[in-house]
Amino acid sequence: MFYITTAIDYTNGSPHIGHAYEKVLADVLARWHRMQGEEVYLLTGVDQHGQKVQQSAEKAGVSPQEYANEVTAQFIALWKRLGISYDGWAATTDPRHERCVQRILMELKERGLLYKKSYTGFYSVRQEQFLTDKERREGGDFGPEWGDVIELEEENWYFRLTDQAEWLKGFVEKSSSFVLPNFRKQELLYAIERAFDNDLCISRPKERLSWGIPLPFDPNFVTYVWFDALINYISFAGYLAEEGSALPRFEKLWPAACEVIGKDILVPAHGIYWPAMLHAIGLPDEDMPGLLVHGWWNLKGSKMSKTLGNIVDPNELADKFGVEALRYYLVRDIKTGHDADFDPDRLVMLYNTELANDLGNLCNRSLNMCMKYSGGIVSAPEGDDELSSELRLSLSKMESSFSDAMNQAQVSEALAALNAHVKACNSYIEQKQPWALAKSPEKKSELDRALGHLLESCAHAAFLLGCVLPDASSRMLTQLDAARLLQDKTPDSLAWGILPAGHSVHAPAPVFPRILSEEEKARSAAKMAGRRK
Ligand code: MSP
């Protein structure tokens, strides 16, 4: 079982391409593991509680639940549009989740791992949060962004995080799979050295924040949003679920959990609070999840943010360039773990070159030539000439690189390997010149071999692309009439000979229509108008 989850998105604002990237990445990995024949469960969802949602709701003049529902609907619609194949939906206002959070709180309290204490500190009225020395400016004061800062005494509930420090340090040091990529593990270890001065405050007084899960043992408080949200990974996996619940069985999904999260929420939430919480509730080291930490999409080198007003809307991109171009770009132009700069010109360039020109053209030409020269029937003559044997080798090398890269979540590398082979096929066409072979009847078997090789490569490429662009893949496989031939295949069992001798293919239809620039569109409109005259 491969249990894969993503961060759950805050419902205090509309989805942007950062959210979309993470879900597409998780979806591609889930599809890849399904193709491998593994049983996969992909969980994603929304983080609906907390101060930000309460504030946005107040501004909009609606209840926090109404506000969260409205934003949740936007996420759901986007995931549907982008083809995110999730199996479970984690919404933190779901009563099944609330119940699980409350049961965990009760248990920790009964075991003496939670305590109440009073804290006096500097509080920003505008931001509604306590400030620490980290928020002080060089001169020692707090900046104007915090508004009025007052000294406030407040009682709250705390989780004994400091008790977990020794264990966590040892665990992270020795584990080779808890955090990937490896440089993030170093970052986490560095943070752990500094993180444990204080226990974790896990409550907020109701008079300050009412939009949260009430503490089951103290009705004047609600649960801190991170403590609530992190639990989604286990609550929706069936942890402490009621008898007869429709949730999955926890023992089935856990511990094979891979949590796909952005770099900003590794420290302290996922790298410190979360393993400490899991350890405190009794999970052994071997049951800790793995964290796949991805980088960020930035815009012209700077962070995308609502305040800067430079958020890129995935729906607008999908309207303009299509879902497939967007999905492809989001995983093709970023190295998993690292940041990248979002650039719509590169989106168009990568789609037009690698999909429209390279792969689209390859399938189109190969099918067309097979229709024209062999009546749409594939034949597979024995033996290889030099060029064909090179192409066969290129295909098998591509497949192992593709697999290796995907198994390490390096989708961009996998797609680069695929594209390199597609390019090799296109140069094979140029070198073989099937149209010239077709002129000499004695070259018939060389022609058949060339077309057989090309169509075989198309079938393999279309199959592998299925984890990134499932719809395009299925359109290609339909034209090749190869879907049923690949039904029981996994990438590892993808040997030569998918298309048997005598197999019929269909006439092609463009799978990746070129994205035209505004100029090209204007030119082609003018041409059309000229023709009509
Ligand atoms: N609600 C918390 C997560 C709780 S998980 C128990 C949260 N939500 S978020 O909406 O702010 O972010 C959701 C995910 O999107 C995070 O993994 C975050 O890193 C990711 N991204 C947000 N902006 C991003 C980019 N610009 N680029 C890539 N991913 C980004 O954090």
Side-chain angles (χ1 to χ4, degrees):
M1 172 57 90
F2 181 61
Y3 174 42
I4 175 165
T5 69
T6 72
I8 48 174
D9 300 305
Y10 280 133
T11 52
N12 67 324
S14 300
H16 57 72
I17 61 151
H19 300 125
Y21 163 56
E22 181 175 278
K23 301 332 168 233
V24 172
L25 173 64
D27 178 61
V28 169
L29 297 176
R31 287 178 189 271
W32 169 251
H33 285 268
R34 285 190 201 111
M35 277 169 78
Q36 297 275 32
E38 281 173 71
E39 211 181 323
V40 172
Y41 193 89
L42 170 59
L43 178 74
T44 191
V46 277
D47 190 353
Q48 297 170 307
H49 289 128
Q51 194 129 31
K52 291 181 197 160
V53 176
Q54 182 172 303
Q55 282 166 348
S56 304
E58 269 161 26
K59 255 194 228 154
V62 294
S63 72
Q65 184 71 68
E66 280 171 314
Y67 191 84
N69 288 349
E70 197 266 314
V71 180
T72 297
Q74 294 178 30
F75 278 104
I76 292 177
L78 180 63
W79 303 154
K80 183 160 189 249
R81 184 170 194 196
L82 296 185
I84 309 300
S85 59
Y86 56 92
D87 304 286
W89 181 250
T92 51
T93 53
D94 186 320
R96 297 172 302 181
H97 168 76
E98 297 199 345
R99 185 177 159 274
C100 180
V101 171
Q102 289 187 328
R103 285 194 56 182
I104 289 174
L105 285 165
M106 273 314 269
E107 194 198 312
L108 292 177
K109 159 100 179 354
E110 276 158 20
R111 287 179 33 223
L113 293 170
L114 302 183
Y115 64 92
K116 196 174 184 180
K117 77 164 183 186
S118 171
Y119 171 81
T120 309
F122 292 99
Y123 182 79
S124 152
V125 180
R126 180 190 296 168
Q127 299 295 344
E128 300 191 36
Q129 75 178 76
F130 275 98
L131 305 178
T132 63
D133 285 345
K134 274 187 253 158
E135 277 84 38
R136 287 185 192 276
R137 295 197 292 190
E138 251 174 36
D141 61 340
F142 297 106
E145 68 275 24
W146 301 109
D148 277 345
V149 176
I150 54 170
E151 220 174 346
L152 187 76
E153 186 181 354
E154 191 172 278
E155 270 204 314
N156 264 308
W157 284 88
Y158 288 79
F159 164 55
R160 294 189 191 281
L161 183 68
T162 44
D163 285 7
Q164 308 291 332
E166 276 315 296
W167 166 78
L168 183 66
K169 197 163 167 253
F171 167 71
V172 176
E173 261 165 10
K174 73 173 192 295
S175 167
S176 57
S177 57
F178 178 56
V179 183
L180 289 171
N182 201 45
F183 70 92
R184 295 284 178 207
K185 170 176 165 174
Q186 298 312 318
E187 189 182 304
L188 175 60
L189 279 169
Y190 183 74
I192 289 173
E193 289 293 334
R194 324 188 131 55
F196 285 102
D197 304 342
N198 298 306
D199 282 333
L200 173 66
C201 178
I202 54 110
S203 69
R204 296 293 180 265
K206 260 201 184 142
E207 71 259 17
R208 172 146 91 77
L209 172 70
S210 58
W211 183 231
I213 302 178
L215 293 190
F217 43 79
D218 196 338
N220 296 325
F221 295 87
V222 297
T223 312
Y224 169 46
V225 69
W226 270 107
F227 194 91
D228 156 1
L230 286 162
I231 290 176
N232 93 86
Y233 301 125
I234 54 175
S235 64
F236 290 97
Y239 185 71
L240 300 180
E242 270 174 330
E243 271 298 300
S245 146
L247 290 168
R249 271 198 12 261
F250 186 64
E251 310 73 57
K252 195 172 167 209
L253 297 195
W254 205 267
C258 165
E259 296 172 1
V260 181
I261 57 164
K263 62 176 187 177
D264 56 315
I265 54 174
L266 172 64
V267 177
H270 286 79
I272 295 177
Y273 302 162
W274 184 221
M277 286 162 67
L278 288 171
H279 187 244
I281 61 175
L283 260 70
D285 290 14
E286 59 276 17
D287 281 8
M288 290 296 146
L291 304 175
L292 175 63
V293 187
H294 62 75
W296 268 38
W297 278 103
N298 296 321
L299 203 68
K300 299 197 177 89
S302 48
K303 201 174 151 171
M304 263 179 243
S305 79
K306 259 208 284 190
T307 12
L308 290 173
N310 61 355
I311 296 286
V312 180
D313 176 358
N315 277 306
E316 267 175 32
L317 293 168
D319 289 344
K320 204 162 164 199
F321 305 119
V323 165
E324 282 173 339
L326 178 58
R327 275 183 70 105
Y328 191 77
Y329 176 70
L330 285 179
V331 286
R332 175 68 182 96
D333 215 20
I334 190 166
K335 197 171 159 19
T336 310
H338 297 264
D339 289 359
D341 224 36
F342 180 80
D343 179 351
D345 292 341
R346 282 190 61 79
L347 182 155
V348 173
M349 184 279 287
L350 282 164
Y351 173 90
N352 278 347
T353 50
E354 297 190 354
L355 295 176
N357 283 0
D358 298 340
L359 182 59
N361 246 340
L362 169 67
C363 292
N364 229 31
R365 287 161 96 191
S366 307
L367 286 166
N368 253 331
M369 291 190 288
C370 183
M371 297 305 288
K372 194 163 164 195
Y373 305 132
S374 307
I377 310 286
V378 179
S379 33
E382 289 288 304
D384 264 351
D385 51 58
E386 202 184 326
L387 284 178
S388 310
S389 100
E390 274 171 20
L391 195 68
R392 193 189 282 256
L393 194 66
S394 157
L395 175 65
S396 77
K397 274 197 189 149
M398 177 276 276
E399 280 168 356
S400 64
S401 310
F402 191 97
S403 246
D404 289 350
M406 286 302 294
N407 288 334
Q408 292 169 45
Q410 292 302 336
V411 186
S412 174
E413 269 178 38
L415 292 172
L418 184 85
N419 181 247
H421 177 66
V422 167
K423 281 201 163 86
C425 290
N426 281 325
S427 1
Y428 176 84
I429 300 185
E430 295 316 312
Q431 286 168 301
K432 278 277 173 203
Q433 307 212 339
W435 50 91
L437 298 176
K439 288 189 183 137
S440 325
E442 72 280 9
K443 302 254 168 88
K444 177 76 176 113
S445 110
E446 196 179 345
L447 172 66
D448 285 345
R449 181 177 305 115
L451 297 179
H453 267 77
L454 290 167
L455 291 166
E456 181 74 17
S457 270
C458 288
H460 289 230
F463 177 70
L464 292 176
L465 193 68
C467 57
V468 179
L469 301 181
D471 293 345
S473 157
S474 101
R475 293 197 299 275
M476 282 191 272
L477 292 175
T478 304
Q479 297 180 18
L480 292 158
D481 197 17
R484 61 199 162 83
L485 303 171
L486 283 153
Q487 222 166 32
D488 306 320
K489 292 278 183 279
T490 66
D492 293 341
S493 69
L494 201 61
W496 182 270
I498 298 297
L499 306 181
H503 176 76
S504 305
V505 295
H506 302 298
V511 173
F512 300 111
R514 256 184 89 75
I515 300 175
L516 300 180
S517 65
E518 293 308 318
E519 236 173 71
E520 285 169 314
K521 274 189 209 156
R523 241 184 284 139
S524 101
K527 224 173 164 184
M528 293 289 282
R531 253 189 235 148
R532 254 181 260 129
K533 270 191 207 157

